[in-house]
């Protein structure tokens, strides 16, 4: 009995001790890592987007107790599939991981021996080719090649039909590349259907709009992925794989927590699973029209800030597929305004507060200089700061 008050006081004192310890702590300052205003967009190296507070609440909730991981995986997948209106869903450790485990599902299916053999496909009887349009090749197809498959490049529908054979495991489509390819999105799906080959659409950066979450599955794609930590504002280390029930089941078997699988390193724990689910809920619930209006307001604030400088051409545009949000582009000729984009970037970065604009730059030697300003990841009050700083930096430059 005498130990009871002791336990009681232990809990009390540890709770009291724990609170102030983290509350006042400025970790980034401690570590000398620079926080900045995100005037770029959802770039992974810039930590992409900020999670909804509700996502953090769900993650905190999940962090306090143990549950059977596969049961949670099942339940969260089921809830997400219902919310979005697709046949089946799973949370992955990002869209790139979804590309890998989705491909593994098409290559090895649910066959244990094959799952353990990936990426060594030779002599196993596993299908080993993925058909892709040449204009759709991109860095992320490495995530597909991880499974040991060979990419078969085609340009026309006729070439695609000729490329199909008994080794064809999957057909990969990079959604943002649609305008560049000869085979458009609907025809691509139809060809997959005709030849009974699973089709996979990488739409990682293609939210908003909300409707896109179900659009491509409804169109007929067997697998679709979205990044969790971009427009949806879920955990940056999470993503969605949506599609056919049998393929999602197979993708689960090719993924963590199964130790002898290609996806074992692509672990998702209970916090990210729950966080991703709540992010989908929040993303669907948000006031998209009000959000869009606010982005337009910010974009105008930014272009207005440099409008007096006639050497600068200002533009507000909306990319058609990926990052489909109001975005600012400022361009100028060096002859009229002798400063290079990288100098503007550096001054904004080195100022107080630090500001990051979109990465990628005009070469210093180029006559035409350009910077991109993304407004959708700015926090309240920051558009005003970015507008002021841009005006200051450009005004500090002498016009020729
Ligand atoms: C961002 C992106 C990915 C990777 O997404 P993660 O969630 O960071 O793994 C894959 N494909 C495309 C087209 C992307 O834009």
């Amino acid at each position: 009995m005498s130990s009871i008050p002791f336990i009681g006081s232990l809990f009390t004192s540890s709770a009291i001790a724990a609170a102030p310890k983290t509350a006042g702590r400025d970790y980034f300052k401690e570590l000398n890592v620079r926080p900045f205003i995100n005037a770029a967009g959802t770039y992974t190296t810039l930590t992409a987007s900020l999670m909804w507070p509700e996502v953090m609440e769900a993650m905190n909730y999940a962090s306090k107790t143990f549950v059977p991981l596969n049961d949670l995986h099942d339940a969260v997948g089921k809830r997400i599939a219902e919310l979005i209106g697709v046949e089946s869903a799973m949370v992955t450790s990002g869209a790139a991981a979804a590309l890998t485990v989705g491909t593994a599902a098409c290559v090895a299916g649910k066959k244990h021996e094959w799952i353990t053999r990936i990426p060594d496909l030779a002599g196993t009887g596993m299908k080993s080719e993925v058909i892709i349009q040449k204009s759709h090749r991109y860095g992320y197809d490495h995530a597909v090649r991880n499974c040991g498959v060979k990419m078969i490049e085609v340009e026309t529908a006729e070439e695609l039909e000729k490329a199909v054979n008994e080794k064809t495991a999957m057909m990969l489509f990079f959604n943002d590349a649609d305008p560049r390819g000869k085979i458009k999105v609907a025809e691509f799906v139809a060809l997959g259907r005709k030849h009974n080959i699973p089709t996979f659409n990488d739409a990682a950066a293609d939210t908003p709009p909300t409707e896109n979450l179900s659009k491509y599955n409804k169109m007929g794609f067997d697998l679709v992925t979205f990044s969790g930590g971009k427009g949806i504002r879920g955990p940056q280390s999470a993503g969605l794989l949506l599609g056919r029930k049998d393929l999602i089941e197979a993708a689960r078997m090719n993924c963590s927590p199964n130790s002898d699988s290609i996806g074992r390193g692509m672990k998702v724990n209970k916090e990210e699973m729950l966080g991703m689910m709540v992010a989908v809920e929040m993303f669907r619930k948000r006031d998209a029209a009000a959000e869009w209006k606010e982005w337009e307001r910010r974009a105008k604030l930014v272009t207005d800030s440099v409008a007096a400088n006639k050497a600068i051409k200002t533009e507000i545009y909306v990319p058609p597929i990926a990052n489909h949000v109001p975005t600012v582009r400022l361009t100028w000729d060096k002859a009229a305004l002798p400063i290079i984009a990288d100098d503007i970037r550096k001054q904004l970065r080195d100022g107080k507060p630090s500001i990051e604009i979109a990465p990628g730059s005009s070469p210093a030697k180029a006559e035409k200089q350009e910077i991109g300003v993304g407004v959708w990841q700015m926090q309240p009050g920051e558009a005003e700061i970015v507008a002021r700083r841009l005006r200051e930096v450009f005004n500090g430059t002498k016009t020729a």
Side-chain angles (χ1 to χ4, degrees):
M1 286 301 279
S2 64
S3 69
I4 289 169
F6 174 66
I7 290 170
S9 70
L10 192 76
F11 275 112
T12 317
S13 63
S14 71
I16 289 166
K21 227 181 172 179
T22 47
R25 222 171 137 185
D26 191 340
Y27 298 100
F28 293 144
K29 193 167 181 187
E30 258 179 50
L31 296 167
N32 198 22
V33 172
R34 168 181 58 96
F36 57 81
I37 290 176
N38 184 346
T42 56
Y43 294 89
T44 299
T45 52
L46 300 178
T47 56
S49 60
L50 297 183
M51 290 182 275
W52 300 95
E54 289 82 354
V55 169
M56 275 310 300
E57 276 170 33
M59 292 176 79
N60 262 325
Y61 166 92
S63 74
K64 293 184 174 115
T65 182
F66 298 94
V67 290
L69 186 62
N70 282 324
D71 290 355
L72 182 66
H73 219 342
D74 289 343
V76 163
K78 189 162 173 278
R79 172 76 67 87
I80 290 175
E82 283 164 7
L83 281 169
I84 296 178
V86 295
E87 191 177 311
S88 195
M90 72 181 278
V91 177
T92 61
S93 65
L99 287 171
T100 302
V101 298
T103 304
C106 295
V107 167
K110 301 178 185 177
K111 193 164 164 173
H112 178 74
E113 189 208 327
W114 284 357
I115 289 170
T116 61
R117 286 289 292 274
I118 284 184
D120 300 315
L121 311 183
T124 59
M126 278 188 269
K127 296 182 196 294
S128 58
E129 294 182 355
V130 170
I131 297 176
I132 185 168
Q133 294 182 76
K134 204 171 178 178
S135 53
H136 286 226
R137 290 302 303 269
Y138 64 146
Y140 291 110
D141 69 43
H142 199 142
V144 170
R145 288 186 282 118
N146 278 350
C147 293
V149 296
K150 193 170 154 204
M151 305 301 276
I152 308 295
E153 292 181 4
V154 300
E155 288 188 70
T156 63
E158 200 190 347
E159 281 173 28
L160 189 150
E161 296 208 77
K162 259 194 233 151
V164 172
N165 67 73
E166 71 285 347
K167 285 185 282 186
T168 311
M170 190 179 94
M171 288 164 47
L172 178 64
F173 195 85
F174 171 24
N175 206 40
D176 193 48
D178 195 16
R180 297 199 285 277
K182 291 207 175 87
I183 313 168
K184 300 301 176 196
V185 65
E187 188 184 8
F188 192 84
V189 172
L191 286 167
R193 284 282 153 105
K194 181 177 169 191
H195 294 281
N196 204 21
I197 311 277
T199 46
F200 194 149
N201 192 353
D202 178 357
D206 306 349
T207 52
T210 316
E211 310 81 74
N212 273 10
L213 282 177
S214 64
K215 178 178 174 180
Y216 302 104
N217 290 98
K218 283 181 183 148
M219 198 180 270
F221 277 97
D222 299 289
L223 291 170
V224 178
T225 183
F226 292 96
S227 192
K230 290 181 180 168
I232 304 172
R233 294 179 55 194
Q236 169 59 184
S237 52
L240 296 172
L241 181 61
L242 313 173
R244 241 168 62 192
K245 188 164 176 289
D246 61 323
L247 287 176
I248 298 294
E249 283 168 1
R252 286 273 305 273
M253 292 172 73
N254 280 278
C255 196
S256 178
N258 303 303
S259 31
D260 196 350
S261 71
I262 184 84
R264 178 57 182 84
M266 304 167 198
K267 187 196 270 183
V268 184
N269 202 11
K270 58 191 188 309
E271 292 80 11
E272 288 96 4
M273 277 182 205
L274 217 53
M276 190 68 242
M277 181 189 87
V278 171
V280 170
E281 290 175 0
M282 295 306 297
F283 181 69
R284 292 181 70 261
K285 265 205 308 225
R286 82 198 190 288
D287 186 343
E291 182 186 72
W292 191 273
K293 258 182 96 175
E294 168 61 11
W295 291 339
E296 285 182 328
R297 186 194 70 84
R298 292 178 194 166
K300 186 163 183 308
L301 205 69
V302 169
T303 53
D304 282 355
S305 74
V306 295
N309 191 333
K310 295 302 169 208
I312 303 170
K313 185 180 160 221
T314 66
E315 259 176 289
I316 300 174
Y317 68 103
V318 178
I321 302 175
N323 303 301
H324 182 70
V325 294
T327 306
V328 173
R329 181 159 48 213
L330 304 179
T331 48
W332 64 95
D333 285 334
K334 259 191 333 204
L337 188 64
I339 185 165
I340 60 169
D342 268 343
D343 285 344
I344 301 282
R345 177 190 318 285
K346 186 170 182 333
Q347 287 186 52
L348 291 170
R349 179 179 291 157
D350 294 347
K352 275 201 168 82
S354 180
I355 296 167
E356 288 286 344
I357 54 172
S361 228
S362 335
K365 278 188 280 185
E367 177 53 25
K368 287 239 176 280
Q369 293 290 311
E370 169 182 331
I371 59 167
V373 178
V375 299
W376 65 315
Q377 298 309 318
M378 291 174 180
Q379 301 304 298
E382 291 182 345
E384 288 73 10
I385 298 171
V386 172
R388 176 173 56 74
R389 284 293 297 141
L390 273 168
R391 188 169 50 235
E392 284 172 7
V393 169
F394 276 109
N395 281 352
T397 320
K398 286 198 182 59
T399 309

